[in-house]
């Protein structure tokens, strides 16, 4: 029976009880366990664990049917005793906190809690077919064997280098299959590896024994399914150990979510298989396991379900259970909150069967009106006004408009229109005040959240324009953070419509969309039909971003060309240097000046001319001996002085 629900898939754990198929156990997103009666189609029991919000349920498994003693009663007939023995009782639930809860449907309460064994979240649980033993695999890469009579750990061992994602015990209770990166077969007596099987590139989520034959006869088969894999692989446990590759593959339309099969006891008996995929389809297989088969096998019959509307929408399958009759299948479909259970007869001669049912495919979560029949009272500046519907939200303090004081009694009973409410709140006045205190900013944010919900519910374009056209990042973030969860999807749909408009308007909508995805990603990821709701937005973003890489390359090339053109233009603009003098100074020399100059010069017949020539020659000799000394004056600017003197003498 499909008893393992693994947390990496978005599918919530949904399991039929063993053998009798009397109950359907569904674990909701909030951690609540609901047990439905398949005969009466009603909710049988509902259980809320004490730590359901912090330790959500990740996997569930029904225990083997057992005789339930309900106090002293009269001696029952054999037929009645047989019915009591077929009754399912215990249900094991693995949690993200590492504990295992055992729930009793007979008591309607928690039977016991198995904790202290795992340091990581529990990914899979599986019961021993005979003894009161339970096996659990965890994120901490360990497998624990629990004793239900004592509620303690019987044995614990490391199974893989990665997390243990799936478990399955053989029908005779001697072998255990575990899967992490590698599928391993363990001997439960010695806790040693009997075989290893490799072939899956992703986490294995489904393990089932397909035959009840012993492994020494080459007749033991089991199947496995992995995340993001559209094939179910069948492995043969050979006596010689040469069992490296799968022998048979079953082709699916999507990742398998729920598997139920009827095991084969001999080669002449076929294995029947019912697989519910992630896309909501049911595939039925029937095959004789007597050796390898090269080609992947197609389903003998595929079943889909849709509603009866003019434009039919598919109804997702949740789980399926095979009946004694090959044509009889017990289905669970619709919503996890209120699944529909039905036993149907399927015509196996047809390859594709479509069933139409008149059920609601989506749960209509109607948003309650956050603000209704609001009256604007006459308030003073010291009082505070609370808006009903959202706790803690305050309205800005504005003076009462003229005429409100003299309202008649009949007028007070009438509801104020949204236009009047917008005018009285006067959001623009608060945002435009530069010196407004921080309290008013928070009040304005609260009004934006209330107005946004009103606009989404009434689809009023004026309200939505006033709210969505803001450019303040902090205001957008706080408004989205205060938005209740039922309003997230309508807001995303409104943003998707506006993103398809003018590019300038799309720039504003992108800010809102970014804030929504940052604050409400966990809620959006929990929606079962998220792909259909956000499909338009995804394709629109993909089509617009598709040209971004090419535009980036073009921008780089244009930038390179523009820099070269600018460099060439700057070189041509450099003008030639004008060497002509800007100013010429000429001094008029008089006769007296010439006489003074002549007197200053030494006479040609002077007696000291020889001494001057000797001193000049000695200076020249010293400069020849010390060339560095000769270059110093030039470095100090004496050379320029000599040129100036020469020009003056000229």
């Amino acid at each position: 029976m499909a008893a393992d629900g693994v947390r990496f898939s978005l599918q919530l754990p949904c399991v039929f009880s063993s053998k009798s198929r009397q109950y359907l156990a569904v674990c909701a997103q909030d951690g609540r366990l609901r047990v439905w009666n398949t005969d009466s189609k009603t909710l049988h029991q509902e259980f809320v664990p004490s730590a359901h919000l912090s330790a959500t349920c990740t996997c569930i498994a029904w225990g083997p049917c057992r005789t339930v003693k309900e106090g002293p009663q009269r001696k029952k007939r054999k037929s009645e005793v047989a019915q009591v023995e077929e009754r399912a009782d215990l249900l094991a639930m693995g949690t993200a906190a590492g504990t295992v809860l055992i729930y009793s449907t007979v008591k309607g309460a928690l039977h016991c809690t198995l904790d202290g064994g795992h340091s990581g979240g529990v990914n899979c649980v599986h019961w021993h077919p005979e003894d009161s033993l339970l096996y659990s695999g965890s994120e901490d890469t360990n497998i624990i064997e629990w004793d239900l009579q004592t509620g303690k750990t019987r044995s614990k061992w490391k199974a893989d280098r990665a997390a243990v994602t799936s478990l399955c015990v053989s029908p005779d209770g001697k072998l255990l299959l575990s899967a992490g990166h590698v599928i391993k077969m363990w001997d439960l007596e010695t806790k040693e590896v009997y075989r290893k099987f490799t072939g899956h590139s992703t986490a294995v989520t489904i393990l089932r024994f397909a035959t009840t034959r012993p492994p020494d006869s080459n007749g033991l088969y089991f199947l496995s399914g992995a995340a993001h894999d559209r094939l179910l692989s069948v492995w043969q446990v050979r006596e010689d150990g040469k069992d490296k590759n799968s022998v048979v593959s079953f082709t699916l339309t999507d990742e398998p979510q729920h598997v139920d099969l009827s095991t084969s006891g001999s080669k002449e008996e076929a294995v029947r298989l019912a697989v519910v995929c992630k896309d909501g389809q049911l595939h039925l297989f029937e095959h004789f396991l007597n050796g390898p088969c090269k080609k992947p096998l197609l389903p003998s019959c595929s079943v889909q379900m849709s509603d009866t509307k003019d434009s039919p929408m598919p109804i997702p399958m949740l789980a399926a259970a095979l009946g004694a009759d090959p044509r009889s299948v017990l289905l669970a479909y619709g919503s996890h909150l209120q699944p529909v259970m039905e036993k149907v007869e399927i015509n196996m001669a047809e390859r594709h069967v479509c069933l139409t049912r008149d059920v609601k495919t989506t749960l209509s979560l109607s948003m309650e009106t956050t603000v209704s029949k609001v009256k604007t009272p006459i308030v003073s500046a010291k009082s505070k006004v609370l808006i009903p519907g959202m706790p803690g939200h305050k309205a800005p303090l504005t003076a009462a408009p003229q005429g409100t004081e003299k309202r008649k009694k009949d007028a007070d009973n009438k509801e104020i229109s949204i236009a009047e409410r917008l005018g009285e709140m006067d959001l623009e006045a608060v945002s435009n005040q530069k010196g407004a205190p921080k309290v008013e900013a928070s009040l304005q944010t609260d009004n934006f959240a209330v107005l946004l919900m009103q606009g989404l519910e009434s689809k009023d374009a004026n309200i939505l324009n006033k709210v969505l056209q803001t450019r303040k990042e902090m205001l957008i973030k706080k408004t989205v953070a205060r938005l209740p969860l039922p309003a997230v999807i309508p807001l995303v749909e409104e943003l998707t419509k506006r993103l398809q408009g003018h590019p300038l308007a799309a720039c504003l909508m992108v800010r809102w969309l970014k804030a929504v995805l940052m604050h409400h990603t966990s809620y959006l990821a929990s929606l079962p039909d998220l792909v259909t709701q956000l499909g338009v937005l995804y394709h629109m973003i993909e089509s617009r971003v598709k040209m971004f890489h090419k535009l980036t390359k073009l921008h780089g090339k244009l930038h390179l060309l523009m820099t070269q053109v600018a460099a060439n233009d700057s070189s041509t603009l450099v003008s030639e240097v004008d060497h002509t003098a800007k100013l010429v100074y000429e001094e008029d020399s008089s006769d007296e000046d010439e006489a003074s100059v002549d007197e200053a010069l030494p006479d040609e017949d002077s007696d000291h001319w020889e001494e001057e020539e000797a001193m000049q020659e000695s200076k020249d000799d010293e400069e020849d001996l010390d060339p560095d000394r000769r270059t110093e004056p030039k470095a100090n600017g004496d050379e320029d002085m000599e040129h100036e003197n020469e020009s003056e003498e000229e």
Side-chain angles (χ1 to χ4, degrees), residues 391 482 599:
R482 286 179 169 86
E599 291 177 358

Side-chain angles (χ1 to χ4, degrees), residues 495-507:
L495 294 176
T496 304
K497 295 178 183 178
R498 291 173 178 261
L499 279 171
Q500 300 173 4
H502 197 273
L504 294 179
C507 294

Side-chain angles (χ1 to χ4, degrees), residues 418-599:
I418 295 178
E420 295 177 359
R421 195 176 302 147
L422 283 173
E424 292 174 359
M425 287 182 178
D426 196 9
L427 299 178
E428 297 292 338
V430 180
S431 60
N432 293 332
Q433 292 177 0
K434 295 182 179 179
K438 294 182 179 180
V439 179
E440 293 185 357
S442 64
L443 299 180
Q444 180 190 2
T445 305
D446 294 333
N447 284 329
F448 262 75
V450 176
L451 284 176
L452 183 57
M453 285 202 61
Q454 288 181 349
L456 292 174
E457 185 178 0
S458 61
K459 297 182 180 180
D460 193 325
N462 294 328
I463 300 178
L464 293 175
N465 291 336
K466 192 160 189 173
V467 175
L468 296 178
Q469 285 178 1
T470 180
R471 296 176 180 270
K472 296 182 179 180
E473 294 288 343
M474 190 57 62
L475 183 61
I476 294 174
K477 291 180 181 180
K478 290 184 178 180
T479 303
V480 172
R482 286 179 169 86
L483 204 64
L485 292 180
V488 173
I489 288 297
L491 176 58
V492 173
E493 293 177 352
E494 181 66 25
L495 294 176
T496 304
K497 295 178 183 178
R498 291 173 178 261
L499 279 171
Q500 300 173 4
H502 197 273
L504 294 179
C507 294
L508 296 176
M509 297 306 107
V510 166
R511 299 181 182 181
W512 284 89
L513 184 62
K514 179 182 177 181
V516 171
L517 295 179
M518 287 177 63
H519 285 86
H520 301 290
T521 302
S522 58
Y523 168 70
L524 292 174
S526 64
L527 298 177
D529 52 350
L530 180 65
V531 177
T532 57
Q533 291 178 340
L534 300 185
V536 178
L537 178 63
Y538 173 75
H539 289 298
M540 180 179 61
I541 294 176
E542 188 178 15
S543 62
R544 292 193 177 186
V545 179
K546 185 169 59 177
M547 298 296 295
F548 181 75
H549 186 61
K550 296 180 180 179
L551 290 175
T552 306
K553 289 184 176 180
L554 179 61
H555 180 268
K557 293 179 180 179
L558 289 176
H559 181 69
L560 183 61
L561 290 175
M562 294 303 294
T563 52
Q564 292 178 355
V565 171
N568 293 333
D569 294 342
S570 62
S571 62
T572 55
L573 291 175
V574 176
S575 60
E576 296 182 357
V577 180
D578 189 5
H579 296 284
T580 59
K582 300 298 182 183
L583 179 63
V584 178
Y585 175 73
E586 295 181 357
E587 184 178 2
D588 296 335
S589 61
S590 60
D591 296 339
E592 296 178 356
D593 295 335
E594 290 178 356
S596 63
V597 171
D598 293 339
E599 291 177 358

Side-chain angles (χ1 to χ4, degrees), residues 341-411:
M341 292 146 287
E342 181 184 359
K343 184 176 290 187
V344 296
E345 298 288 335
I346 298 177
N347 186 8
M348 302 295 291
E350 298 182 7
R351 296 295 299 269
H352 299 279
V353 176
C354 184
L355 305 176
T356 57
R357 296 292 185 271
D358 187 11
V359 296
K360 294 182 179 180
T361 57
T362 57
L363 187 65
S364 59
L365 297 175
S366 58
M367 285 190 302
E368 297 181 358
T369 307
T370 56
V371 180
S372 61
K373 298 183 179 180
V374 174
K375 300 177 183 179
T376 306
I378 303 172
V379 296
S380 62
K382 296 181 180 180
S383 62
K384 296 180 180 179
V385 180
L386 298 179
I387 297 178
M390 302 179 71
H393 286 190
K394 304 173 184 177
L397 303 177
T398 57
Q402 296 179 357
T404 55
E405 300 179 0
K406 298 181 180 180
R407 283 183 180 174
K408 298 180 180 180
K409 294 183 179 180
D410 298 336

Side-chain angles (χ1 to χ4, degrees), residues 3-9 123-124 165-167 179-180 183 200 202-208 223-229 232 255-259:
D4 300 338
V6 185
R7 73 162 116 185
F8 1 82
S9 61
N123 287 331
C124 47
T165 56
S166 186
L167 290 175
I183 301 175
H200 289 289
T202 56
V204 178
T205 58
I206 292 173
L207 286 174
R208 297 290 179 276
L223 59 90
S224 64
H228 312 296
D229 194 353
L232 275 179
E255 173 186 342
Q257 294 284 4
H258 185 280
V259 174

Side-chain angles (χ1 to χ4, degrees), residues 21 43 63 68 138 201 217 354 442 471 515 595:
R21 319 294 190 192
L43 182 62
V68 180
S138 171
S201 59
S217 62
C354 184
S442 64
R471 296 176 180 270

Side-chain angles (χ1 to χ4, degrees), residues 48 57 89 107 149 157 194 201 214 248 283-284 290 305 318 334 337-338 392 395 406 438 442 544 615 617 625-626:
V48 183
C57 177
D89 180 21
K107 298 178 182 178
Q149 294 181 354
W157 69 95
Y194 181 74
S201 59
V248 182
H283 301 287
L284 302 175
N290 53 6
M305 191 166 287
L318 303 179
L337 296 178
Q338 192 171 1
K406 298 181 180 180
K438 294 182 179 180
S442 64
R544 292 193 177 186
M615 292 176 65
E617 289 176 358
L625 293 174
D626 192 2

